[in-house]
Amino acid sequence: NPTATYSASGTKSITFVVTDGTCPDTIVQNINISETPASSFSSTAPQCAGVGVDFTNTGSSDTLLSYSWDFGQDAIPVTSYSENPMGVVYSSGGTKMVTLTISKQSCVNTIMQNISVNELPLADAGPDTTICANASVQIGSSTVAGNIYTWNAPDNTLTNSSLSNPSANPIAAITEYVVTVIDSNSCVNMDSVTVTMMIS
């Protein structure tokens, strides 16, 4: 009962000879060796957390093949059986281990490959606060080098809408300030703060 390994697919002719020393008997039988699928893929990573990543199978492609993906930590969805899954979203940044298994009956090949997902920049507009009438308050947080800050606020109520921590001088009873932060990877994050002014 020998075992044989074949380096190439195709039809193989097997000859089996049995002899008791003087009277041999021979049988020839063909077997078919299926090709082991090649497993590889590419992706649109790196992307920012929250932005969809598209995956493309670059290995074997055939309607008779099965595809099984595991996208790793914090992926939505976590798995897929599509040949070329699209729009996989990661809720956090970092290195993600992606596994693709391609199979045809009992012939299976798996590849594991890391992709990078960029963290979102810190966006901190500060805590909601209450101030006295005609007073000012500093909002936002410390500047992170390389980040771009843009505030959405009523006209002339911020000392500088491009700072990470401007002073707010609201004129309404309740004012919402929204900060948008863009980092060097073009990743975008937002946060808001509400300033309530006490009017006697």
Side-chain angles (χ1 to χ4, degrees), residues 36-189:
T36 300
S39 184
S40 63
F41 67 88
S42 64
S43 75
T44 57
Q47 296 282 12
C48 303
V51 176
V53 178
D54 297 337
F55 292 88
T56 302
N57 166 44
T58 55
S60 298
S61 180
D62 192 296
T63 56
L64 299 178
L65 293 172
S66 297
Y67 303 90
S68 177
W69 295 81
D70 184 325
F71 300 114
Q73 184 179 21
D74 298 330
I76 304 171
V78 176
T79 60
S80 175
Y81 299 101
S82 171
E83 180 178 357
N84 300 298
M86 311 289 258
V88 178
V89 174
Y90 291 88
S91 60
S92 67
T95 300
K96 312 297 181 180
M97 175 66 76
V98 179
T99 303
L100 168 61
T101 299
I102 302 179
S103 58
K104 182 178 182 181
Q105 298 177 345
S106 60
C107 299
V108 180
N109 201 354
T110 297
I111 183 173
M112 302 174 71
Q113 185 173 308
N114 286 330
I115 66 167
S116 294
V117 178
N118 296 322
E119 295 276 6
L120 295 183
L122 174 65
D124 184 4
D128 293 344
T129 187
T130 300
I131 62 174
C132 296
N134 300 317
S136 64
V137 62
Q138 189 174 38
I139 58 177
S141 59
S142 300
T143 302
V144 175
N147 287 356
I148 299 172
Y149 299 85
T150 305
W151 288 87
N152 183 6
D155 292 340
N156 302 319
T157 62
L158 288 179
T159 53
N160 189 329
S161 61
S162 298
L163 294 178
S164 66
N165 52 358
S167 290
N169 303 280
I171 56 177
I174 298 176
T175 306
E176 182 183 49
Y177 296 93
V178 180
V179 63
T180 301
V181 184
I182 304 175
D183 67 10
S184 58
N185 293 315
S186 297
C187 296
V188 180
N189 203 2

Side-chain angles (χ1 to χ4, degrees), residues 13-20 23-29:
S13 181
I14 311 300
T15 302
F16 183 35
V17 180
V18 178
T19 181
D20 63 0
C23 299
D25 192 14
T26 301
I27 184 173
V28 178
Q29 183 173 319

